[in-house]
Amino acid sequence: MSDSADDRGLDLLAAAARAAAPPPTPNLDQMVVHAALVARNRSRRSAVVAQSLAFAAVLSLAVGGPLVWLRAVGNDARDARSLRFELPAGDAVAVTPDADFSIDEASALTRTVTLRAGAMLFDVAPLEQRASFTVSTSHLRAEVRGTVFEVRVSAEGSQVHVYEGRVTARVAGRAHTVTTGQTFDSGTGMIDKWSSPLASIGRAAASRRARPAAPARAATNERRSDDARAGEAHEPRDDTHAMERDADGTESLAPTQGPTPLVARAVPSAPTRASETPSALLNAPSPEATDPSDGERWMQRADQLRVSGAAHEAVLAYERAAELLGPSRRTHAGYAAASLLVDRLAAPERASSALDRTLADRPGSPVESHALVLRARALADMGRDEEARLVARRYLARFPDGAARARMEQLASDAATR
Amino acid sequence: MLRPIFARRQAPASSDAPTDTDAILRQLAPDVRGWVFRYLGARAELDDVVQEALIELASALARFRGDSSVRTYARRIVTRVASRHVRTPAGQARVHLVPDAEYAPDPETIAMQRESLRRLYGALAELSETRRSAFVLCAIERLPHDEVAAIEQVSVETLRARLKRARAELADRLRDDPLLAPLFRGGGHE
């Protein structure tokens, strides 16, 4: 292929990358404040390390017993974003430098933590039947049974984010169940956005819990072949971002194992015959199995399946993503699934159910206008003409200048004349 | 109320009052986020890396000697942080949902565009750090070559050589990808 063709392809891709914008975040100011504080505190890091050693000594003296001890886990002197340690019962904890907390009790049966400021991430060992693990702030109390979660306190309130498992958050006596991928705010309830300097640690810990133990030989061979394909040696890393809870060294996400093969498999190593895009994509390599606890990865998986023509599998993946994502993201997954069900799989009833479950066409949904169009089409396909007409009218009332105006006017007109 | 066994109190800072550095950091923060986004692609851990970049930048600004512009200095630090993240186990491309405001009516097009960029960034992750930075800063960010040379602290000639090799390597990796081949043949995604 000529250099000009190569240049054209790369320039098109570069232009697409340049046009893409990062998703909005409400946390940028908070991130700036955190960065400024951490930068100032870096000079005091040696004092923090000494303090953590003192913490270990005090805790072991206070709780007593030769088996009760505190172990600093994976602390990297270069990582000023968190201090990590392990409680006597095996729970792993990470705290931000600005955290103000107390470990009120740390026995095998009862673990009680009070957090007054900052954030703490917990990777809680599975509890015995009578055991309890509670984190209290001035706004809420979080009760867990064995999970990976984070609690953050600010002047405005407290938030609980669950990376894996289930947490009961009690506010003013009312219990709220927070499951994997969800974030609960003591003042506003469930929220969509979550960003935290401890998030990478939490996700890594959740991945370890969710991923089943892979056969050691298969994982090793896979890693060797990808090392050979990548053509570079992977050295063990000292920088641990995951909670080192188990000794399974075959986990591909374990930081000491080197990069995973995901990217190498995403790009085919051998040329394929040029053909029209839709059929050629059937030859695209199968993407990596996704982390079952991550809704965004299920979305990615669904997109890849869609692009490769596997509509039925894509629908299943979108539906799984919808179960894991927050309210706003869920609407995208529902709409994406419903569009495949209407356009490719001729399943309008199931498409309507997908829109129902994810509230994709409710007022205020980020995909409301598109989902209304899809709803109207699905109803028309099911022969429910009067309902289709009503939805078309709702679209025209809500979006009088919408891109689908002509189509909805036609649908409303057709339905009326049948 | 149980008596706390141990309580860790926030250490009093010698000075937590806002400084000029804080103002510069706040001013640069949106750009920093955009730089990281375009260096790494759309990833769920974007803000983790942005946070790390802001922390390094906050420390580095205190040492800034004024031998380049603040933006060039900041770009250099942010590029280094983002580049470091590409090689970490958590740094593999995981594209997440297109922002709500950009959601187009056609899910097929969105999925195709998203997958195309994912493959681009996957191929970028395979390049050496120097070649990757050259391509991101010159081809994606479209910065002038002399500015990129200042960021990378190399001569313009060296930068151009890196860029040429980066483009050649990316083309080798991507031109036969079944999804991307139409772009190289003169077609495009609809």
Side-chain angles (χ1 to χ4, degrees):
Chain A
M1 187 166 292
S2 68
D3 286 348
S4 61
D6 285 350
D7 286 339
R8 178 173 54 241
L10 290 176
D11 289 342
L12 284 172
L13 286 169
R18 187 167 53 253
T25 177
N27 299 326
L28 197 55
D29 266 355
Q30 180 184 341
M31 293 164 69
V32 169
V33 170
H34 180 77
L37 283 173
V38 170
R40 288 192 188 84
N41 287 341
R42 274 188 170 173
S43 63
R44 300 184 212 114
R45 190 166 53 243
S46 58
V48 170
V49 171
Q51 192 176 21
S52 70
L53 293 174
F55 174 26
V58 169
L59 184 62
S60 61
L61 286 173
V63 182
L67 298 179
V68 175
W69 56 281
L70 190 77
R71 182 167 69 91
V73 177
N75 280 314
D76 182 347
R78 291 167 296 172
D79 180 2
R81 288 184 297 166
S82 66
L83 170 69
R84 280 164 268 185
F85 55 88
E86 194 171 284
L87 294 180
D91 315 300
V93 185
V95 302
T96 52
D98 62 340
D100 178 3
F101 67 94
S102 56
I103 310 294
D104 304 312
E105 190 165 347
S107 67
L109 280 182
T110 306
R111 280 95 92 184
T112 308
V113 177
T114 299
L115 177 64
R116 286 171 285 275
M120 299 182 75
L121 174 76
F122 303 91
D123 187 356
V124 177
L127 301 179
E128 298 174 21
Q129 196 169 4
R130 292 176 298 119
S132 67
F133 192 112
T134 307
V135 180
S136 296
T137 75
S138 57
H139 312 103
L140 58 80
R141 188 173 80 238
E143 302 166 355
V144 301
R145 298 296 307 165
T147 185
V148 182
F149 71 106
E150 182 176 341
V151 182
R152 180 165 67 202
V153 180
S154 67
E156 290 76 34
S158 296
Q159 295 176 334
V160 175
H161 178 82
V162 178
Y163 294 95
E164 190 276 342
R166 185 187 299 266
V167 172
T168 300
R170 296 188 186 276
V171 178
R174 188 177 170 193
H176 304 265
T177 300
V178 190
T179 57
T180 301
Q182 292 184 327
T183 305
F184 175 79
D185 183 281
S186 61
T188 58
M190 292 297 183
I191 60 176
D192 283 339
K193 307 290 186 182
W194 175 257
S195 175
S196 164
L198 304 177
S200 60
I201 302 174
R203 279 194 291 268
S207 294
R208 287 177 172 277
R209 282 173 175 256
R211 185 182 295 267
R217 184 181 305 171
T220 302
N221 288 342
E222 185 177 84
R223 194 163 51 251
R224 282 181 185 154
S225 66
D226 288 318
D227 283 354
R229 187 158 56 218
E232 54 184 294
H234 298 301
E235 296 179 359
R237 292 177 59 86
D238 292 326
D239 184 21
T240 56
H241 287 288
M243 303 267 190
E244 297 289 351
R245 290 189 51 79
D246 55 66
D248 183 359
T250 61
E251 286 285 345
S252 60
L253 284 179
T256 56
Q257 303 303 321
T260 69
L262 174 64
V263 172
R265 285 210 287 273
V267 179
S269 56
T272 59
R273 259 188 319 115
S275 64
E276 294 302 317
T277 298
S279 55
L281 287 174
L282 292 175
N283 295 322
S286 178
E288 176 82 327
T290 58
D291 178 348
S293 65
D294 192 330
E296 296 295 353
R297 295 200 75 170
W298 277 106
M299 278 298 297
Q300 177 185 339
R301 167 76 167 168
D303 283 344
Q304 291 169 343
L305 289 167
R306 184 191 204 112
V307 165
S308 65
H312 178 70
E313 290 81 0
V315 167
L316 294 175
Y318 282 128
E319 289 176 341
R320 180 69 180 129
E323 293 174 5
L324 298 170
L325 292 170
S328 178
R329 298 294 201 205
R330 188 180 303 147
T331 61
H332 290 268
Y335 172 69
S339 69
L340 280 174
L341 288 163
V342 169
D343 292 329
R344 290 212 215 156
L345 298 175
E349 294 88 354
R350 199 171 154 198
S352 278
S353 296
L355 295 174
D356 288 337
R357 280 197 305 276
T358 57
L359 305 179
D361 57 348
R362 81 186 193 287
S365 157
V367 296
E368 179 190 355
S369 62
H370 312 308
L372 279 174
V373 172
L374 203 58
R375 171 83 74 177
R377 289 175 54 210
L379 289 168
D381 288 349
M382 286 189 279
R384 292 157 64 174
D385 297 336
E386 184 57 30
E387 293 172 77
R389 188 163 63 91
L390 289 173
V391 174
R393 282 184 169 180
R394 185 164 23 129
Y395 174 92
L396 293 168
R398 289 274 298 155
F399 306 99
D401 299 320
R405 175 181 175 177
R407 189 174 190 179
M408 289 296 98
E409 286 175 341
Q410 182 69 40
L411 185 63
S413 169
D414 287 348
T417 56
R418 281 181 194 163
Chain B
M1 178 116 179
L2 294 173
R3 180 180 62 83
I5 295 173
F6 178 86
R8 178 175 180 273
R9 301 289 171 179
Q10 185 175 4
S14 57
S15 171
D16 280 335
T19 64
D20 289 343
T21 300
D22 294 348
I24 294 172
L25 194 67
R26 184 164 273 111
Q27 192 174 24
L28 287 172
D31 290 329
V32 168
R33 195 159 184 268
W35 297 339
V36 174
F37 178 80
R38 285 185 290 278
Y39 194 97
L40 294 178
R43 300 185 182 199
E45 64 270 24
L46 168 68
D47 281 342
D48 293 344
V49 184
V50 171
Q51 180 70 82
E52 189 176 335
L54 289 172
I55 289 172
E56 291 233 5
L57 186 54
S59 297
L61 283 173
R63 301 188 299 269
F64 179 57
R65 294 190 302 271
D67 49 1
S68 65
S69 74
V70 172
R71 285 185 72 84
T72 298
Y73 186 66
R75 273 270 198 184
R76 187 180 305 144
I77 289 161
V78 173
T79 300
R80 189 176 65 216
V81 171
S83 177
R84 208 163 59 214
H85 186 78
V86 170
R87 296 186 180 280
T88 65
Q92 301 309 316
R94 286 177 11 170
V95 179
H96 65 76
L97 200 61
V98 172
D100 297 350
E102 298 181 17
Y103 203 86
D106 180 5
E108 304 291 344
T109 302
I110 288 295
M112 195 76 77
Q113 290 174 345
R114 189 160 42 210
E115 184 62 18
S116 298
L117 287 182
R118 179 178 171 274
R119 297 187 187 199
L120 169 65
Y121 279 99
L124 275 170
E126 296 293 317
L127 300 187
S128 69
E129 179 180 338
T130 55
R131 293 182 185 184
R132 181 172 57 248
S133 295
F135 185 84
V136 169
L137 296 174
C138 295
I140 295 179
E141 297 277 25
R142 295 288 292 268
L143 295 177
H145 287 189
D146 56 350
E147 183 174 343
V148 177
I151 291 170
E152 295 290 287
Q153 295 180 302
V154 297
S155 67
V156 174
E157 291 74 25
T158 299
L159 171 72
R160 286 177 177 154
R162 290 177 180 178
L163 179 62
K164 184 177 179 182
R165 287 193 286 269
R167 293 182 71 98
E169 190 174 341
L170 280 174
D172 285 343
R173 291 178 182 276
L174 297 176
R175 76 166 73 85
D176 293 319
D177 182 294
L179 177 66
L180 303 179
L183 300 178
F184 290 84
R185 284 202 308 265
H189 297 319
E190 290 302 320

